[in-house]
Amino acid sequence: MRCKGSEPATFDLFADDAPQAPRTEQIGPRSFVLRSFALPRVEQLLPALQQVLNQSPFRHMITPGGFTMSAALSSCGRLGWVTDRSGYRYTDTDPQTGQPWPAMPDALMQLAQAAAIEAGFPGFIPDACLINRYVPGAKMSLHQDKNEQRYEWPVVSVSLGIPAMFLFGGDQRTDPCQRVPLFHGDVVVWGGEDRLRYHGIVALKQAEHPLLGEQRINFTFRRAE
Ligand code: MD3
Ligand code: FE
């Protein structure tokens, strides 16, 4: 019989729950993938997410063009990002509840700040955290993030759950894209001259994550005002 605590010190390199050491990959002049950076904090992040969703549940928003987004959205922090037939903007109340957006839980704020410091952006204090939920087949088309008042601050994003392929383009929609796979626990920071580069998410492949099931959760931290 095999005893707990006496497992051989080996692991499956190809299992998505294999132990992962944190490491940094540079994907642009001021953009970095911090592999597995959020892993030690997942136990704090999931209850924080649940607390936000109890107050402001995921919903599918309509774009100004009349399309329903395939990613479901919520927000926390003082400002939340919304889209409807009249445009894209940040609001201080959740249009679905008429209440202020849920406060940003400490675990989320601390993770965003630590990642920003790691990538060379000390002093980042996000006032908005957009939460995207993707199921297999959901995607996000190539776009720029331009609804924020200043572009000096970076964007920090945290991926949990099943993998996604991130597309990282240039300053023009037609510029070629890098494809960057993002896994459970990865954190990406984009700033400086990379802040307005086009980006998107390829339709997710069918997969199941041991903790989160058939979904990917992405937290995107920004300074909107
Ligand atoms: C690169 N979300 O919510 S993360 C978005 O995974 C969004 O849910 C994707 O694009 C997701 O707007 C990608 C991040 C992201 C956010 C802002 C960026 C990447 C960025 C701004 C500039 C360059
Ligand atoms: Fe974006």
Side-chain angles (χ1 to χ4, degrees), residues 130 132 134 140 143 145 155 157 166 168 190 194-197 199 201 216 218 220 222:
L130 172 65
N132 294 316
Y134 298 80
M140 194 170 286
H143 66 279
D145 286 23
V155 174
S157 120
F166 176 69
F168 193 31
W190 296 265
D194 295 322
R195 178 64 182 73
L196 290 175
R197 288 172 66 170
H199 59 277
I201 293 286
R216 169 176 185 261
N218 179 263
T220 304
R222 299 187 184 83

Side-chain angles (χ1 to χ4, degrees), residues 13-34:
L13 280 172
F14 303 104
D16 67 2
D17 58 352
Q20 297 291 326
R23 69 210 137 81
T24 300
E25 296 169 15
Q26 187 161 8
I27 57 169
R30 298 208 67 192
S31 300
F32 301 88
V33 182
L34 311 177

Side-chain angles (χ1 to χ4, degrees), residues 41-116:
R41 304 175 192 237
V42 169
E43 263 175 66
Q44 283 79 57
L45 299 180
L46 295 180
L49 171 64
Q50 196 50 59
Q51 184 191 318
V52 169
L53 296 176
N54 289 342
Q55 215 175 311
S56 282
F58 281 128
R59 78 293 305 265
H60 289 275
M61 292 187 185
I62 315 281
T63 66
F67 296 100
T68 300
M69 291 184 70
S70 60
L73 273 58
S74 183
S75 279
C76 63
R78 195 176 72 74
L79 296 165
W81 185 87
V82 302
T83 175
D84 58 22
R85 288 310 300 247
S86 68
Y88 307 106
R89 63 200 173 277
Y90 285 93
T91 64
D92 53 20
T93 53
D94 176 348
Q96 188 164 292
T97 64
Q99 294 296 120
W101 293 103
M104 197 181 300
D106 287 343
L108 291 178
M109 177 65 87
Q110 282 161 21
L111 172 57
Q113 292 184 335

Side-chain angles (χ1 to χ4, degrees), residues 95-162:
Q96 188 164 292
T97 64
Q99 294 296 120
W101 293 103
M104 197 181 300
D106 287 343
L108 291 178
M109 177 65 87
Q110 282 161 21
L111 172 57
Q113 292 184 335
I117 288 168
E118 190 75 14
F121 296 95
F124 178 55
I125 305 175
D127 56 12
C129 174
L130 172 65
I131 309 172
N132 294 316
R133 175 184 189 263
Y134 298 80
V135 295
K139 65 178 172 65
M140 194 170 286
S141 305
L142 218 53
H143 66 279
Q144 294 173 294
D145 286 23
K146 293 202 298 189
N147 299 126
E148 298 73 31
Q149 286 183 4
R150 6 183 359 148
Y151 302 132
E152 300 99 272
W153 294 110
V155 174
V156 173
S157 120
V158 177
S159 295
L160 297 180
I162 66 177

